[in-house]
Amino acid sequence: QRIVHKMSYKIIGMLLITIVVTTLSEPALKKVILITRHGDREPIKTWPFNSEFKYSGELTGEGMNQLYRVGSRLRKRYVDDLQFLSPNYKRNEIYVRSTDKDRTLMSADAFLMGFYPPSSGPTTSPYSALWYGENHPLASEKVGYALPSGYQPIPIHTEGGKYDLLLHGYKNCDRISEERKIYRRENQEWINKRKEAKPFLKTVQEIYDLDKPITLSKMSSLYHAIKAEYIHHGNRNEKLTDEILDQITDLAEWTLERKFWNREIGKIGAGILLGNISDLLEGSSKSIKSKSKGSSEKLIYYSAHDGTLLALLAALDAEKYSIPPYASTIIFELWENDKEYAVKVLYNDDHLKLVGCTGGCPLETFLRITKPGIATIDEYSQYCYGNEETKSDTKEIDIFNPGCALIVILGLVSVTMFLFMNKKIDKEN
């Protein structure tokens, strides 16, 4: 019996050790950085065949619902399954930033409504009426949800369009557009595709009875206009066959794949964002107080555009990937296991393949392979604005500049003369 008891104790002991070791070595999620494309929108450019509708690129009801569902899906992952975040909003857990566009701001709001659904919001205090008095306008009428259906407002931060180099860097650099025109004019692959598509583009022009020829670079705009016309108004040209529509779709995707045609252009378009992501991940692994906003929060959420995602994918030097449809997501997850850190990059829920990093890789490897795609503010400014340090309506005055120096001298002379004349008048009086 003693032998049996000893064996039982050994087995129990081994099981306990196994449980403890397993628990200690279980990977823990430390940081999540999420970038989304806005949901379905109206066309930005109005074509003659949909001119009766005043489009302006605004988010549609479809788009709101798309982001709401993304929020609900990611809540299941990060709140319900992984228990990474609290079920209710806590300001020290999530930081949200959007570009200063209605469609991205509203997309962020729709996402957050899915992530923190109705009934997750705060309640009123039972003591306010006791403090103010029952009939006081500041006292709650009754204890319950603070807002209808328990809605939870979440602050969404933004930066003025031309000052937003984090999420809209590609948009604020005119030189990228200029370089793109040169690329499309001189690149042999683009030249060949333009020649190949010319007869087809002529056919599409005739279908829609357009006065001007359709260029290859306009295929994405045309595709969105056709799509919006059908989804939101049920209109489709009877001559537009499925085969022709597929060809339009293919050409639109082909041009978007080359919007940021190499890593260097991606670096300028989203290199500041990639630097921010690397900074946040590295800071979280070392518990370093980062200068980046959102450094202390668990989840950083950026609401942006397809251009943001495309430029970021190019800056990452990602392997073959599909063009981001509406409500697309790129997620960076930082995992810790026994003081070792690893990064997972997910693109629309699938592992994004990076050169030298597939399905997740050590943080050190991630930082090393992404470093060539990171741009500093100085590099961005030099490329986009020449010698200007920042793009701003106001510039610092350099008193050592000859022109500025002359203004300063004249100003000093004027002040001296004014004081001298006043002094003289005082003496005469």
Side-chain angles (χ1 to χ4, degrees), residues 328-394:
S328 286
T329 61
I330 298 179
I331 303 174
F332 298 83
E333 294 182 346
L334 179 67
W335 290 82
E336 187 265 335
N337 188 1
D338 196 21
K339 297 183 180 179
E340 296 291 329
Y341 290 86
V343 178
K344 290 182 182 179
V345 187
L346 304 171
Y347 178 46
N348 290 332
D349 297 336
D350 292 326
H351 285 285
L352 182 66
K353 294 181 180 180
L354 305 179
V355 177
C357 177
T358 303
C361 59
L363 175 61
E364 293 78 10
T365 303
F366 175 83
L367 296 175
R368 175 175 54 78
I369 65 176
T370 56
K371 189 175 181 180
I374 293 173
T376 64
I377 295 289
D378 288 342
E379 288 174 323
Y380 178 91
S381 299
Q382 182 64 37
Y383 181 90
C384 299
Y385 318 131
N387 293 324
E388 297 178 40
E389 291 187 2
T390 56
K391 185 179 183 181
S392 173
D393 290 334
T394 59

Side-chain angles (χ1 to χ4, degrees), residues 8 39 66 96 98 125 171-172 204 266 273 299-300 305 309 341 355 385-386 423-424:
S8 299
Q66 288 164 354
V96 184
S98 169
S125 171
K171 199 75 172 178
N172 288 311
V204 176
L273 173 59
L299 171 64
I300 314 300
H305 307 262
L309 272 66
Y341 290 86
V355 177
Y385 318 131
K423 191 174 182 180
K424 186 176 180 181

Side-chain angles (χ1 to χ4, degrees), residues 392-416:
S392 173
D393 290 334
T394 59
K395 298 177 182 178
E396 293 183 9
I397 297 176
D398 181 4
I399 63 172
F400 298 104
N401 179 284
C404 291
L406 179 61
I407 293 172
V408 171
I409 291 169
L410 290 174
L412 290 172
V413 171
S414 299
V415 171
T416 303

